């Protein structure tokens, strides 16, 4: 599968106007994979104009949901046909183990199929009658596409995060300019090629690779973009909100997290250890919803820590293409250094580094880091409060339910949380008291396309996935008609 060095604008592969490029780096070998096209502001302007024309005069919004669904299903089919190679590209670009990448690409295809179904249902639900108090009038509430969407996606789940935005936007009748992270651009370019092979009309999906400071800012600031959908850091999300405020743009944001996992002492210790590991070491901990703050009831605390360390130290670290590897390298040098600084600061603050925290001896190259477990940190420490976005988990003890809930909620974030207990009534009670957009009971991290995804507080605005994800890309219009044959008679008597 070739790697293009061009931009996808208005249904064609084009060279950047200023000829800019940047390197895509394999985090396992630290070597360059490809030279990638760097879009300038002028290139972004062309992409937005193409999306604008496709929306305003190209007929995409006027197509029935059933017709749009046909395109989405063709995209899903092509993704499945290329699943192995797409997953291999994700491994090379991001570093995640191949089984995880295969899972991601499978979910990506399903996401397009899911929104194809919702596009068809939209035909039946696009207009709903509204009961009025005056029978001389009739009214309907109509759902219409929001317009041209700028979608900016992160580097941790490159193709899947693209699908979370592109699929519902296209299903709704919007057109899209997709800006992937410059750290992991490869599968977004493949998505453009797949859309082209699926005969998606020109301008409906445009993919611009480039640096955030230029291409991302240009897309965010463009006056012809009606909606911005962003997944990434709180700092960047804040800037996007500030820019969007100038023109009151529609915005949805999925930002950072520091999610808590509460484990009561009646939990099965083996199940608890498995879900803690999955909650923080899946995708190398580069997960917004990772349950990186673990709260364990005191009676379970010491035995659980012993088993957690034992199992964490068994995790095979290495090249994501190798059999049995469950922890690949961090995505790039900058992220590796950021996580290392957080670990060093945690030690300086007095937290106990129980396990890991270093480069594995067998890996001289690549951004590899051992699974890292901290205990005995304070709730005020940076380690406990701030998102690290790496394979680092912090574990504290608690005594009672009220203390655990208060500690879990004592955060500026509110993306996700988890609770484990054999007492399901207690688990459900606690789940309803946790201030987070996603709460898992007796598990951590399962994500379903059908269910809403998004956070409270500084973890974001709006919801993706499910019917909520489609609604992200729809406006609601009231159409009211005067049906009486009698004159209104206010001015003319």
């Amino acid at each position: 599968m070739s790697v293009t060095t061009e931009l996808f604008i208005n249904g064609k592969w084009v060279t950047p106007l200023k000829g800019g490029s940047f390197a895509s780096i394999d985090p396992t070998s630290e070597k360059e994979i490809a030279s990638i096209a760097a879009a300038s502001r002028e290139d972004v302007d062309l992409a937005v104009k193409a999306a604008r024309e496709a929306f305003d005069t190209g007929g995409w919004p006027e197509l029935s949901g059933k017709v749009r669904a046909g395109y989405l299903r063709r995209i899903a089919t092509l993704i499945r046909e290329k699943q192995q190679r797409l997953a291999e590209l994700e491994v090379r670009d991001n570093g995640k183990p191949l089984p995880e990448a295969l899972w991601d690409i499978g979910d990506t295809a399903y996401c397009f199929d899911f929104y194809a179904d919702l596009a068809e249902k939209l035909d039946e639900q696009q207009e709903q009658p509204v009961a009025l108090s005056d029978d001389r009038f009739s009214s309907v509430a109509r759902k219409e596409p929001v317009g041209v969407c700028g979608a900016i996606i992160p580097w941790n789940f490159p193709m899947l995060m693209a699908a979370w935005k592109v699929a519902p936007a296209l299903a709704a009748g919007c057109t899209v300019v997709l800006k992937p992270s410059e750290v992991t651009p490869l599968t977004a370019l493949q998505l453009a090629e797949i859309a082209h092979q699926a005969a998606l009309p020109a301008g409906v999906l445009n993919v611009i690779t480039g640096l955030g400071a230029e291409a991302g800012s240009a897309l965010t600031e463009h006056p012809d973009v009606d909606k911005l959908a962003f997944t990434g850091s709180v700092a960047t999300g804040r800037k996007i909100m500030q820019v969007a405020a100038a023109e009151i743009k529609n915005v949805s944001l999925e930002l950072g997290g520091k999610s808590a996992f509460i484990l009561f002492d009646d939990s099965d210790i083996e199940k608890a250890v498995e879900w803690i590991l999955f909650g923080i070491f899946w995708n190398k901990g580069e997960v917004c919803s990772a349950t990186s703050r673990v709260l364990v009831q005191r009676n379970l605390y010491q035995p659980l820590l012993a088993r957690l360390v034992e199992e964490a130290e068994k995790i095979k670290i290495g090249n994501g293409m190798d059999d049995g590897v469950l922890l690949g390298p961090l995505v790039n040098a900058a992220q590796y250094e950021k996580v290392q600084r957080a670990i060093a600061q945690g030690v300086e603050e007095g937290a106990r580094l129980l396990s890991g925290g270093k480069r594995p001896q067998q890996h001289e190259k690549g951004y590899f880091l051992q699974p890292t477990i901290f205990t005995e940190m304070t709730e005020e420490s940076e380690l406990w409060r701030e998102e690290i976005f790496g394979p680092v988990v912090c574990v504290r003890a608690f005594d009672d339910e009220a203390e655990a809930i208060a500690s879990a909620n004592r955060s500026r974030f509110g993306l996700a949380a988890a609770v484990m207990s054999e007492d399901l009534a207690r688990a459900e009670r606690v789940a309803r008291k946790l201030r987070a957009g996603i709460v898992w009971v007796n598990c951590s991290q399962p994500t379903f396309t059908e269910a809403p995804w998004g956070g409270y507080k500084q973890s974001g605005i709006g919801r993706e996935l499910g019917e909520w994800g489609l609604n992200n890309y729809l406006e609601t219009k009231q159409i009211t008609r005067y049906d009486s044959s009698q004159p209104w008679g206010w001015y003319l008597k």
Side-chain angles (χ1 to χ4, degrees):
M1 189 177 288
S2 62
V3 176
T4 182
T5 56
E6 296 179 304
L7 309 171
F8 188 70
I9 298 175
N10 204 26
K12 298 177 182 178
W13 291 104
V14 298
T15 302
L17 293 174
K18 294 184 178 179
S21 65
F22 61 95
S24 176
I25 304 296
D26 183 335
T28 299
S29 66
E30 302 183 35
K31 294 180 180 179
E32 182 175 327
I33 303 170
S35 179
I36 304 298
S40 64
R41 285 184 170 270
E42 291 80 0
D43 295 311
V44 173
D45 184 56
L46 290 176
V48 173
K49 284 180 178 176
R52 184 84 265 164
E53 185 175 350
F55 185 82
D56 290 343
T57 63
W60 180 252
E62 284 74 38
L63 294 177
S64 68
K66 183 176 182 179
V67 171
R68 291 198 297 271
Y71 289 103
L72 293 174
R73 290 198 176 97
R74 284 198 288 276
I75 291 171
T77 297
L78 288 165
I79 290 171
R80 288 193 179 94
E81 289 175 359
K82 303 172 190 288
Q83 182 173 1
Q84 181 69 31
R85 286 293 291 120
L86 289 168
E88 290 173 4
L89 275 182
E90 293 279 60
V91 174
R92 291 195 68 197
D93 216 13
N94 171 275
K96 65 180 66 190
L98 181 62
E100 294 185 19
L102 286 166
W103 193 342
D104 290 352
I105 303 304
D107 282 352
T108 299
Y110 178 71
C111 188
F112 278 96
D113 273 337
F114 177 81
Y115 282 105
D117 291 343
L118 289 194
E120 290 183 336
K121 291 179 181 177
L122 189 59
D123 285 340
E124 303 169 3
Q125 302 168 355
Q126 193 155 21
E127 291 192 0
Q128 297 180 1
V130 178
L132 302 177
S133 57
D134 188 331
D135 60 11
R136 293 175 297 173
F137 296 85
S138 61
S139 185
V140 295
R142 176 177 170 82
K143 294 179 179 179
E144 296 183 348
V146 69
V148 174
C149 301
I152 303 175
I153 60 170
W155 43 255
N156 55 340
F157 293 93
M159 198 172 197
L160 183 57
M161 292 294 99
W164 281 21
K165 291 171 174 52
V166 172
L170 298 187
C174 296
T175 58
V176 180
V177 178
L178 174 66
K179 181 352 191 130
S181 168
E182 58 265 37
V183 178
T184 54
L186 300 184
T187 49
L189 293 168
Q190 293 302 318
L191 180 60
E193 180 59 32
I194 286 168
H196 187 58
Q197 292 173 12
L200 194 69
V204 172
L205 174 63
N206 307 271
V207 179
I208 51 164
T209 51
L211 304 182
E214 183 163 12
S217 294
L219 182 58
T220 300
E221 296 165 5
H222 204 291
D224 282 337
V225 172
D226 299 301
K227 176 185 173 61
L228 293 166
F230 170 77
T231 298
S233 71
V234 173
T236 304
R238 186 177 292 116
K239 291 177 183 177
I240 288 173
M241 282 192 72
Q242 289 169 345
V243 171
E247 295 182 349
I248 322 296
K249 287 187 189 295
N250 186 310
V251 175
S252 55
L253 306 171
E254 198 258 273
L255 306 178
K258 190 71 175 179
S259 302
F261 192 169
I262 299 171
L263 297 111
F264 288 97
D265 59 10
D266 63 345
S267 301
D268 179 282
I269 195 167
E270 298 303 303
K271 294 177 182 177
V273 168
E274 170 68 24
W275 284 113
I276 292 171
L277 294 172
F278 193 80
I280 185 58
F281 299 135
W282 170 263
N283 204 52
K284 309 160 287 174
E286 294 171 341
V287 181
C288 294
S289 60
T291 39
S292 55
R293 288 188 299 146
V294 175
L295 291 154
V296 184
Q297 199 161 22
R298 201 165 299 278
N299 289 340
L300 185 64
Y301 183 67
Q302 290 299 339
L304 183 140
L305 279 178
R307 284 291 292 126
L308 186 63
V309 169
E310 181 182 6
E311 292 302 321
E313 292 179 349
K314 293 179 184 176
I315 293 173
K316 185 176 179 180
I317 305 168
N319 186 325
M321 295 300 298
D322 292 345
D323 289 343
V325 167
L326 292 177
L327 192 69
L330 296 179
V331 74
N332 63 5
Q335 187 62 20
Y336 182 72
E337 291 164 6
K338 176 189 172 186
V339 176
Q340 289 279 31
R341 285 195 301 271
I343 291 170
Q345 184 174 352
V347 172
E348 288 175 12
E349 290 176 342
R352 182 186 176 195
L353 180 56
L354 198 61
S355 180
K358 298 177 182 178
R359 173 188 285 276
Q361 290 182 354
Q362 67 272 31
H363 294 289
E364 295 180 0
K365 281 283 187 182
Y367 309 118
F368 293 99
L369 183 67
Q370 296 168 334
T372 303
I373 302 170
F374 272 102
T375 62
E376 299 176 20
M377 76 295 299
T378 68
E379 281 199 333
E380 291 71 37
S381 68
E382 293 280 311
L383 198 64
W384 183 258
R385 292 189 298 111
E386 297 301 325
E387 184 176 44
I388 296 172
F389 222 63
V392 181
V393 64
C394 300
V395 188
R396 283 173 52 87
F398 71 89
D399 290 307
D400 59 39
E401 182 178 315
E403 178 191 355
I405 294 168
S407 182
N409 287 338
R410 199 174 294 122
S411 173
R412 67 189 177 104
F413 298 110
L415 181 55
V419 56
M420 178 171 278
S421 175
E422 291 296 308
D423 182 346
L424 289 182
R426 174 167 62 180
E428 294 288 344
R429 180 174 66 245
V430 171
R432 282 156 178 75
K433 292 182 179 179
L434 291 170
R435 295 282 296 160
I438 305 128
V439 180
W440 294 292
V441 175
N442 291 337
C443 58
S444 177
Q445 303 309 306
T447 303
F448 297 95
T449 305
E450 301 88 347
W453 183 274
Y456 289 13
K457 297 184 273 188
Q458 291 189 32
S459 287
I461 297 172
R463 293 295 180 269
E464 295 188 298
L465 299 184
E467 63 187 72
W468 302 268
L470 183 66
N471 290 335
N472 249 338
Y473 298 92
L474 293 168
E475 295 278 20
T476 301
K477 174 187 286 184
Q478 174 204 148
I479 300 177
T480 298
R481 184 179 69 214
Y482 183 57
D483 292 326
S484 175
S485 61
Q486 298 300 312
W488 185 237
W490 187 266
Y491 291 103
L492 303 180
K493 306 297 183 183

